[in-house]
Amino acid sequence: MSHLQYTSLFFCLTSCLLGQPLQPFPLSQVRLGDGIFKDSMEVNRRVLDEIGVERALYCFRFNAKLPTGDAKPLDSWASPEPGGAFPGFYESHYLSAISLMSAQTGDAKLREQVNYMVAELGKCQQALGGTYLFASPQEEFEPKRLDGVVWYRIHKLMEGLLAAHRHAGNAQALDILNKLATWIDKRMESYGNAFEAVKKVEYGGMTEALENLYAITRNPRHHTMALAWEQRELMLDRFHKHEDFCEHANTLLAKMVGAARVAELGDTDEYHRVACENFWDLVAGSGQKTYATGGTSVHEGMPGLRALANTQSRMAQETCVSYNLLKVTRSLFHLTGEAKYMDYYERCLYNAILGSQDAKTGWKTYYQPLNANTLKDFRSNLTGCYCCNGTGLENPSQYGSTIYAHDDAGLLVNLFIASTVVWPDKGLQLKQITKFPAEPSTALVVQAKPPVALDIAIRVPAWCTKGFAVAVNGAVQNIAAKPGSYAVIKRTWKSGDRIECQLPMEFAKYPMPDKKTQLAFMYGPLVMVGDGARPWLGELVGDLDNPSNWLNKLNTGFTPVKNTSLAFTAIDGAGRELRVKPYYQIGGGQFFTGYWDIVKSSILKDDHNIALGKPTLCSCPDPSGVNVECFMRSGKAVDGQYGGDDDWYVKWFPNGMTPQWITVDLGEARAITGIEWFLTAEDIKDMAAYCYKVESSNDNKTWQSYAENPANTTAAKSFSHQKAVSARYMKLTLLPPVTAKVPPTRPKLAEFKIFGPQASTGSQ
Ligand SMILES: [Zn+2]
């Protein structure tokens, strides 16, 4: 039998496959095809254009005392000092993002922008003396001046320069970084005994950036510097022994990204690899610290083991943490080739990352709450510029980074994303044609000149427990494949060869690690969330112990909604309909429910609050500036959530002093019988006596008084008024206090309810 005719199919039943370590394909060799990831990438490309190089250069030129031209400074966290606290980090993410995007798209204009930005940064470095370069004065690196987390910020610049070099082929970026590294070396040396104290302040991925530099220069000094930033006794030794360790989650993650890079670049004693594997297992692999989306962090802290139940409203899962978890996961996958890493990677990518960008505005999430009737915390890329906006610029710019990998013998298909990869060394091009996850299949078409013998390994997802199938040129291969491994096809490939994979998706429950009656729904790798706000607040009636109950027969319990992409309905044990759709599809201002509480009988009653989940307008809608609580949107006043332990996270907290107003748009003129508005727990505790007025309107212009209390001196938990009117808009204005009992700060509103008969065709 000639070599060309040799065809056989093997399924790998162990988790290791083609040999190791694996290599990623350069981003420039992977092009996205039409689909949800390309759409998301294009939204982000628009965002990068909106920011522009001149604005990104502003803070560096400002610090170097060079002309800033007509450029307007970026706002909030990225504002130059003394107004802004953290200049430079966001702009550095921008440099990384345009470098990645130029490689992923082949866009020559973006590459020119990279070259221009690097050249201008070079001028800043010269103006600052030839070695130092950043957006803050050097004095901020003094041990007592580290409040501005300047090491965290400068590592982002190092990564930006590395990205310009690696992904956009810019040689000057490496030259600038090498010079900067000499300054960093001296600065680190000068700390002496104070260095351990310096490392107590968030310093981001200094290990990662220096190790990445070492990977290029192979200058042993860079490796030594990278290791100097580690905290072995504090954390790595503990993870090495499979013990837990918690601190600020993103601080911890950035350090682990560095450890993973050290492991990838060849630590001979495997200390770093073992520490990283154990860390990953504690956090992500075992599911003890991660939500269904793959994200983690509670109030920015790393939660303890099995301590997630009821935390999903509490500033849950900062998006930067997911960005960094993916980096650690990618490194471990390349080191070990184990499919479990790609199972997690896919879940985190489709939910916590793809779901972190608003498709209309390109705004990025900071926190990603998953409680009942919640909203995504999207923030502006121009007036917010938070840390997660920065990492968020990079995410869609590198969707192509992990779809494929290879070693000398073969190519791995890790993710089912429409794309084309070229492998010049093998003369191979592989085009993946898929509408996954809208359709549960993918096809791979080979171009090979001349024919080439190699292994193609296709991931069999852990969630694909029934019906995974693969066909080569139409010949179905009837060999069972183990979920959570790779199916390896050994063959001499020729142009036109076509592999087709069936990837049937099923519904599954994803319970909290510490509460099995609190769960999310999965469909394949997708977190399926409740669509819209409901008066029953994430409560579902069902019996988890009864095998015949709908909750245990989800694949028949959920019915696809016609003419939608991946929307389903189900009826709970109380006869109530829930409609679910993928978390990634949720945009700005859309209410959804991530986790559900399963109860045997309903305790919640619909109180005919017709304001629930309706659109709101308010006196200060934009989450920006110093409004650090901007995840508290005005929609939080109509989410049905108030009181209790989570009161803080579900209120409207406008960014300004009284008077502040909120208007609920009922969509059409509705019969109204009364209103009630609720104070927050802390205002009730403080015996706050709010003054307020309520007005009604049918055109949002002419207002009629509904109720007034402009000189109130009485504290109350809520205020209610009954009066029959017909109106489309209802407006509540919180007025300046007439007594000293109201805290002289910003007003707070826990909930604004409007009562009336449900509309006969309403969306409630
Ligand atoms: Zn962040």
Side-chain angles (χ1 to χ4, degrees):
M1 190 161 60
S2 80
H3 191 67
L4 257 178
Q5 291 170 313
Y6 172 76
T7 300
S8 78
L9 186 67
F10 294 95
F11 287 95
C12 185
L13 295 178
T14 66
S15 53
C16 293
L17 40 134
L18 301 174
Q20 49 180 285
L22 300 169
Q23 299 289 325
F25 284 97
L27 257 186
S28 58
Q29 289 172 223
V30 181
R31 288 274 180 276
L32 298 184
D34 289 346
I36 51 178
F37 284 93
K38 189 176 179 191
D39 290 347
S40 173
M41 180 191 80
E42 292 298 347
V43 170
N44 192 52
R45 178 144 56 163
R46 206 179 68 223
V47 169
L48 295 174
D49 283 346
E50 282 167 10
I51 296 168
V53 181
E54 296 298 330
R55 294 189 78 175
L57 280 166
Y58 185 101
C59 63
F60 297 105
R61 287 168 165 164
F62 183 85
N63 186 55
K65 299 190 168 48
L66 293 175
T68 53
D70 298 332
K72 202 174 147 202
L74 289 154
D75 208 346
S76 189
W77 282 16
S79 301
E81 292 162 288
F86 311 116
F89 84 93
Y90 182 72
E91 297 84 345
S92 301
H93 277 299
Y94 170 85
L95 176 58
S96 291
I98 58 173
S99 302
L100 291 162
M101 189 71 94
S102 74
Q104 183 163 265
T105 60
D107 185 332
K109 193 182 109 208
L110 277 168
R111 185 171 292 213
E112 279 171 28
Q113 289 174 355
V114 173
N115 293 339
Y116 173 72
M117 184 161 178
V118 170
E120 293 302 301
L121 287 171
K123 290 177 192 168
C124 293
Q125 189 176 42
Q126 285 309 308
L128 289 164
T131 55
Y132 177 66
L133 172 64
F134 198 57
S136 297
Q138 296 184 36
E139 295 75 47
E140 288 203 20
F141 291 84
E142 296 294 332
K144 290 181 181 160
R145 291 278 314 273
L146 294 169
D147 289 356
V149 290
V150 72
W151 284 111
Y152 160 88
R153 287 186 286 137
I154 202 169
H155 110 259
K156 306 285 188 189
L157 175 62
M158 297 167 74
E159 284 294 321
L161 292 165
L162 284 161
H165 176 70
R166 281 190 305 194
H167 298 293
N170 184 294
Q172 190 187 0
L174 184 61
D175 179 54
I176 292 172
L177 182 53
N178 267 315
K179 289 175 185 159
L180 177 59
T182 62
W183 182 89
I184 289 171
D185 195 5
K186 284 199 188 108
R187 181 68 261 193
M188 286 169 63
E189 285 279 309
S190 72
Y191 285 138
N193 292 335
F195 192 43
E196 287 308 309
V198 167
K199 288 194 279 181
K200 287 183 177 162
V201 181
E202 183 175 12
Y203 57 82
M206 282 305 298
T207 301
E208 177 200 10
L210 287 162
E211 193 68 1
N212 281 334
L213 178 59
Y214 167 65
I216 297 167
T217 64
R218 291 292 163 177
N219 177 346
R221 185 68 195 162
H222 294 153
H223 182 56
T224 303
M225 289 161 69
L227 296 184
W229 282 98
E230 293 192 325
Q231 293 173 301
R232 290 207 177 194
E233 279 182 31
L234 178 72
M235 51 180 281
L236 287 180
D237 284 355
R238 293 193 210 180
F239 289 133
H240 191 258
K241 289 184 278 186
H242 215 287
E243 292 172 10
D244 194 26
F245 170 72
C246 296
E247 63 174 338
H248 178 260
N250 201 38
T251 300
L252 174 56
L253 255 301
K255 294 170 189 173
M256 295 313 296
V257 171
R261 282 300 286 154
V262 173
E264 259 193 289
L265 290 172
D267 64 331
T268 48
D269 59 2
E270 302 200 321
Y271 170 86
H272 290 84
R273 180 179 63 76
V274 172
C276 288
E277 284 178 338
N278 291 344
F279 162 79
W280 186 90
D281 184 54
L282 286 166
V283 173
S286 64
Q288 293 185 86
K289 298 191 180 206
T290 41
Y291 297 100
T293 51
T296 187
S297 80
V298 177
H299 224 299
E300 298 209 6
M302 179 59 77
L305 295 169
R306 296 171 56 77
L308 277 190
N310 303 317
T311 64
Q312 58 270 35
S313 69
R314 297 175 187 173
M315 303 188 206
Q317 41 173 2
E318 181 188 347
T319 308
C320 286
V321 176
S322 298
Y323 158 93
N324 276 322
L325 264 168
L326 287 189
K327 283 192 178 187
V328 175
T329 304
R330 192 184 303 145
S331 290
L332 287 171
F333 174 69
H334 289 149
L335 270 170
T336 66
E338 290 188 45
K340 67 180 181 182
Y341 293 114
M342 278 302 116
D343 279 320
Y344 169 79
Y345 193 98
E346 179 187 60
R347 183 158 60 89
C348 194
L349 181 70
Y350 273 84
N351 299 295
I353 298 298
L354 188 60
S356 71
Q357 178 178 258
D358 179 50
K360 280 193 192 135
T361 60
W363 289 18
K364 323 290 185 190
T365 55
Y366 195 114
Y367 306 112
Q368 296 192 46
L370 291 165
N371 53 311
N373 294 359
T374 196
L375 295 163
K376 283 190 177 175
D377 178 23
F378 290 118
R379 302 190 184 186
S380 161
N381 298 304
L382 294 175
T383 58
C385 309
Y386 297 93
C387 52
C388 300
N389 288 103
T391 50
L393 295 178
E394 291 187 31
N395 290 327
S397 307
Q398 55 182 333
Y399 283 144
S401 68
T402 315
I403 303 172
Y404 308 97
H406 71 89
D407 65 5
D408 290 342
L411 182 149
L412 294 89
V413 180
N414 300 319
L415 299 168
F416 311 113
I417 295 175
S419 55
T420 301
V421 58
V422 293
W423 193 358
D425 291 351
K426 303 281 186 186
L428 181 83
Q429 174 187 298
L430 194 65
K431 182 173 187 181
Q432 185 170 183
I433 303 162
T434 183
K435 291 184 176 159
F436 184 85
E439 293 175 10
S441 61
T442 192
L444 298 149
V445 180
V446 174
Q447 289 286 322
K449 287 180 187 167
V452 59
L454 56 78
D455 302 346
I456 293 182
I458 300 166
R459 189 171 133 260
V460 186
W463 49 259
C464 192
T465 54
K466 285 181 202 141
F468 176 87
V470 62
V472 179
N473 295 335
V476 177
Q477 312 293 317
N478 291 318
I479 302 173
K482 186 182 168 192
S485 70
Y486 279 74
V488 184
I489 309 169
K490 292 179 177 292
R491 187 182 166 90
T492 297
W493 300 96
K494 60 184 191 308
S495 290
D497 280 348
R498 183 182 177 97
I499 306 168
E500 289 179 323
C501 289
Q502 302 303 316
L503 303 156
M505 294 158 72
E506 297 201 300
F507 273 91
K509 299 184 287 272
Y510 196 97
M512 285 291 192
D514 46 337
K515 190 176 185 185
K516 79 166 195 169
T517 57
Q518 192 167 72
L519 53 83
F521 294 114
M522 308 290 299
Y523 184 61
L526 306 175
V527 177
M528 303 297 281
V529 297
D531 189 6
R534 292 289 183 276
W536 18 294
L537 300 175
E539 177 198 85
L540 288 179
V541 173
D543 186 353
L544 289 164
D545 299 322
N546 178 352
S548 65
N549 187 261
W550 75 278
L551 275 173
N552 296 311
K553 298 196 299 183
L554 294 178
N555 289 308
T556 50
F558 280 102
T559 310
V561 180
K562 279 184 187 157
N563 302 319
T564 67
S565 178
L566 296 163
F568 295 81
T569 57
I571 307 292
D572 86 342
R576 302 176 300 200
E577 184 186 76
L578 69 147
R579 180 178 172 132
V580 297
K581 67 181 190 183
Y583 175 73
Y584 75 77
Q585 292 181 1
I586 300 290
Q590 295 177 16
F591 287 92
F592 70 97
T593 295
Y595 273 85
W596 309 85
D597 283 300
I598 308 303
V599 295
K600 294 215 168 152
S601 60
S602 176
I603 51 170
L604 293 169
K605 297 274 180 285
D606 185 354
D607 62 1
H608 299 285
N609 168 22
I610 59 174
L612 182 72
K614 290 291 190 296
T616 52
L617 304 161
C618 68
S619 43
C620 50
D622 292 328
S624 63
V626 293
N627 183 11
V628 293
E629 289 92 1
C630 63
F631 62 99
M632 297 167 185
R633 303 284 193 276
S634 57
K636 298 279 185 179
V638 293
D639 62 357
Q641 306 257 23
Y642 55 95
D645 292 342
D646 290 329
D647 185 76
W648 176 262
Y649 308 103
V650 297
K651 66 174 180 282
W652 177 48
F653 191 15
N655 185 24
M657 311 291 272
T658 48
Q660 296 287 336
W661 57 263
I662 180 171
T663 297
V664 180
D665 179 0
L666 299 170
E668 59 186 340
R670 298 284 295 267
I672 292 164
T673 56
I675 67 101
E676 184 170 16
W677 74 271
F678 295 76
L679 278 70
T680 57
E682 64 260 51
D683 277 347
I684 293 168
K685 192 162 150 265
D686 289 343
M687 304 281 286
Y690 270 92
C691 302
Y692 62 92
K693 64 179 178 180
V694 184
E695 297 159 287
S696 66
S697 170
N698 274 309
D699 60 4
N700 199 25
K701 290 177 193 154
T702 315
W703 294 93
Q704 285 80 44
S705 175
Y706 184 87
E708 292 197 14
N709 206 347
N712 178 46
T713 55
T714 306
K717 290 183 180 177
S718 71
F719 294 94
S720 62
H721 299 272
Q722 282 78 44
K723 182 169 144 187
V725 296
S726 173
R728 173 174 170 178
Y729 300 93
M730 291 296 282
K731 183 186 206 176
L732 169 63
T733 305
L734 302 173
L735 299 165
V738 293
T739 76
K741 288 228 168 180
V742 175
T745 55
R746 294 149 55 185
K748 308 179 195 85
L749 174 60
E751 192 74 12
F752 182 25
K753 291 187 176 186
I754 302 166
F755 302 107
Q758 301 293 340
S760 55
T761 57
S763 56
Q764 294 284 309

